[in-house]
Amino acid sequence: MSEPIRVLVTGAAGQIAYSLLYSIGNGSVFGKDQPIILVLLDITPMMSVLNGVLMELQDCALPLLKDVIATDEEEVAFKDLDVAVLVGSMPRREGMERKDLLRANVKIFKSQGAALEKYAKKSVKVIVVGNPANTNCLTAAKSAPSIPKENFSCLTRLDHNRAKSQIALKLGVTADDVKNVIIWGNHSSTQYPDVNHAKVKLQGKEVGVYEALKNDSWLKGEFITTVQQRGAAVIKARKLSSAMSAAKAISDHIRDIWFGTPEGEFVSMGVISDGNSYGIPDDLLYSFPVVIKNKTWKFVEGLPINDFSREKMDLTAKELTEEKEAAFEFLSSA
């Protein structure tokens, strides 16, 4: 058995964490021979709920869980971390302006970034889930200057999985038969699900999705809006946000960071732009196609971008630039 790794989940009394924690504890994220010290953080009013979650994890009798710590204190939660999964954020309430949401979340992620800086290992991998995820991730990264900015990523894997599954449903195949879809940009309704480079396995051979579907109007219309608005559709139907699918996407995202992406496949992940890839401005936390090896991601370079895609990619970059500017204003005054 290897040494235990220390994994933090914030917002740990919430419903996404409730769907996620068992997967982390049973070895399906970090591997079946990786012991874990699981740290659960939530706000003080949620401590009694969190203690219930703690009891359930104990009652699962998971052999890989060496310890489970429930806390409302950042100095306890962020100490010596190997992985931080930042799920907790201020949710948007009815009638709340986006800027109010940004202001509230800047405060949270500035504080958590500072705690990462002060207490966590410099090698910590930070995955931001709480919305607005891209800008929250950028805020945390800016607040932890001595941790490499490449160690920060935000979740667009749920959108990636949604795109794969829509294609699979349309073609009557499984989601596993679809690969190399891309989510560009913001985890918001401006994101651009792109299947120009995606492949699908049909009758044992790989073909391009456009070629397989022969339905350009659907791919450029309803497919895109379905993926963009899927989260809202789930809330409307379930009266709660997508927790099971979000937890599955977080597990996929972390597992790929830990073990790498399969040969010939790329995944979508919100990472820091360098100003040199696909014409996206420098220093935006933007979802790109990446490949991962040795716990390090790299941009998938050189994919041809048509005019339709360019317009969509620029639109979501513009939204992210505006969010970043608003967040940084709050960051400097916070």
Side-chain angles (χ1 to χ4, degrees), residues 79-127:
K79 191 164 174 46
D80 297 332
L81 290 181
D82 295 285
V83 179
V85 191
L86 308 184
V87 179
S89 65
M90 165 74 81
R92 191 170 190 161
R93 311 214 187 284
E94 215 172 324
M96 200 181 203
E97 292 286 325
R98 195 165 175 89
K99 67 174 189 306
D100 299 328
L101 183 70
L102 274 170
R103 183 186 281 118
N105 279 297
V106 162
K107 202 173 162 195
I108 294 166
F109 286 86
K110 180 183 182 181
S111 174
Q112 294 188 348
L116 284 163
E117 174 77 6
K118 193 168 177 186
Y119 303 112
K121 292 179 180 174
K122 298 305 173 198
S123 58
V124 65
K125 299 291 184 190
V126 183
I127 297 92

Side-chain angles (χ1 to χ4, degrees), residues 187-299:
H187 175 62
S188 76
S189 58
T190 68
Q191 62 171 265
Y192 170 44
D194 175 7
V195 291
N196 283 291
H197 313 286
K199 300 257 189 283
V200 59
K201 197 182 283 177
L202 291 177
Q203 282 101 38
K205 71 172 205 270
E206 276 189 359
V207 289
V209 163
Y210 266 86
E211 188 191 335
L213 266 170
K214 299 183 176 58
N215 189 342
D216 291 17
S217 65
W218 182 78
L219 283 170
K220 288 183 169 175
E222 193 188 326
F223 162 71
I224 291 173
T225 52
T226 299
V227 176
Q228 287 174 333
Q229 293 163 18
R230 187 68 162 187
V234 171
I235 290 173
K236 192 174 175 205
R238 209 173 85 88
K239 310 293 179 267
L240 290 164
S241 65
S242 22
M244 183 177 13
S245 53
K248 161 66 166 57
I250 296 163
S251 299
D252 291 345
H253 178 119
I254 300 171
R255 196 185 306 109
D256 282 345
I257 289 175
W258 219 247
F259 296 108
T261 44
E263 196 61 43
E265 280 191 42
F266 46 79
V267 294
S268 308
M269 185 178 279
V271 293
I272 196 82
S273 61
D274 60 2
N276 300 318
S277 294
Y278 298 106
I280 302 307
D282 186 28
D283 208 33
L284 275 190
L285 211 296
Y286 188 99
S287 182
F288 287 93
V290 299
V291 290
I292 307 165
K293 199 176 177 179
N294 302 327
K295 298 190 175 66
T296 305
W297 59 264
K298 283 197 172 75
F299 295 119

Side-chain angles (χ1 to χ4, degrees), residues 161-178 200 202 209 213 218 223:
N161 288 350
R162 285 166 171 163
K164 276 176 69 160
S165 98
Q166 288 302 312
I167 298 296
L169 285 167
K170 197 80 169 166
L171 285 166
V173 298
T174 69
D176 225 28
D177 293 319
V178 182
V200 59
L202 291 177
V209 163
L213 266 170
W218 182 78
F223 162 71

